[in-house]
Amino acid sequence: DAMVIQNPRYQVTQFGKPVTLSCSQTLNHNVMYWYQQKSSQAPKLLFHYYDKDFNNEADTPDNFQSRRPNTSFCFLDIRSPGLGDAAMYLCATSKTSYEQYFGPGTRLTVT
Amino acid sequence: AQSVSQHNHHVILSEAASLELGCNYSYGGTVNLFWYVQYPGQHLQLLLKYFSGDPLVKGIKGFEAEFIKSKFSFNLRKPSVQWSDTAEYFCAVTPSGNAGKSTFGDGTTLTVKP
């Protein structure tokens, strides 16, 4: 089945230790998104790729970076995780402005 | 920038009760509207969507939503809920033709008591 896959599902990292989360899709969608979701809050858009074009949200900290080497893969890099970065990170894809298809998320714990 | 407001943070209903979850948005232009659902232990998935045409849209599992442009609202309804509808529900707005500007509401947790 076509889907959005996120690895790992659970990630524990130490304060200040870089971490990379990955997302892959078999839907061949041109848009890929990264969201941060904290408990009982709305998913917060960090950035998205429209094809190869990277679009950063104005309030996304510089600590968060992303790479999209090809249509299928997208990575979220957190350069120096702080305790406040502990959250669920969601990857999603869409065809232009249509509905989004979400992966299962990666729960990041920072110790 | 657009914003989305969901009126109820937590709703508790008994089975067979009717459901209406409120969603209001603010944006000056044309929008695409969505309701997503997250069942316990599962990922977010689309419940229904509105792009244009008939303002009353039907989704999966007997859900429907009505877009009222004059009220900037897109309320979710179901005539008779089931225990399996227990989940978190998110309303989302995307300006038409602008894929990256999706905004989600804070979500409503629905608990259905058997």
Side-chain angles (χ1 to χ4, degrees):
Chain A
D1 288 341
M3 56 174 48
V4 181
I5 302 164
Q6 290 187 245
N7 285 304
R9 294 291 306 278
Y10 302 89
Q11 176 73 58
V12 180
T13 190
Q14 294 177 334
F15 183 94
K17 185 175 181 180
V19 66
T20 295
L21 309 181
S22 73
C23 176
S24 64
Q25 56 135 337
T26 60
L27 296 160
N28 202 33
H29 285 168
N30 59 329
V31 190
M32 293 187 78
Y33 310 78
W34 279 105
Y35 290 88
Q36 180 193 65
Q37 187 180 24
K38 296 187 176 181
S39 183
S40 302
Q41 295 183 20
K44 178 181 179 296
L45 184 64
L46 296 173
F47 25 60
H48 75 281
Y49 277 92
Y50 196 114
D51 296 318
K52 294 183 180 180
D53 294 333
F54 176 70
N55 298 271
N56 200 27
E57 292 301 297
D59 57 354
T60 298
D62 292 340
N63 197 25
F64 291 85
Q65 307 278 314
S66 185
R67 296 170 282 136
R68 188 180 186 184
N70 54 53
T71 302
S72 301
F73 285 86
C74 196
F75 300 96
L76 170 62
D77 300 308
I78 308 176
R79 292 193 297 187
S80 181
L83 297 180
D85 296 327
M88 180 73 85
Y89 289 88
L90 303 174
C91 175
T93 72
S94 75
K95 286 176 63 174
T96 60
S97 60
Y98 295 113
E99 64 269 26
Q100 295 180 39
Y101 291 76
F102 285 85
T106 294
R107 182 165 297 282
L108 178 68
T109 301
V110 182
T111 61
Chain B
Q2 70 264 28
S3 65
V4 179
S5 174
Q6 292 184 236
H7 313 302
N8 315 98
H9 292 294
H10 196 176
V11 173
I12 302 173
L13 296 173
S14 297
E15 276 194 313
S18 64
L19 170 72
E20 181 160 3
L21 301 182
C23 172
N24 285 89
Y25 69 94
S26 66
Y27 182 71
T30 305
V31 294
N32 296 336
L33 296 156
F34 308 88
W35 276 97
Y36 291 89
V37 61
Q38 188 166 24
Y39 297 104
Q42 298 187 27
H43 58 274
L44 275 162
Q45 57 187 286
L46 183 71
L47 195 57
L48 47 75
K49 61 189 178 186
Y50 172 81
F51 292 161
S52 64
D54 189 344
L56 183 63
V57 292
K58 296 190 184 299
I60 60 171
K61 303 188 180 184
F63 286 90
E64 64 178 31
E66 184 175 15
F67 171 50
I68 303 179
K69 189 175 182 179
S70 61
K71 295 184 177 180
F72 297 90
S73 70
F74 190 55
N75 291 354
L76 180 70
R77 300 195 293 249
K78 185 170 183 179
S80 176
V81 295
Q82 301 173 314
W83 176 79
S84 58
D85 293 325
T86 295
E88 189 152 19
Y89 294 80
F90 293 92
C91 180
V93 170
T94 303
S96 296
N98 196 339
K101 292 299 179 184
S102 299
T103 302
F104 282 73
D106 281 340
T108 297
T109 301
L110 171 66
T111 301
V112 180
K113 297 188 291 186

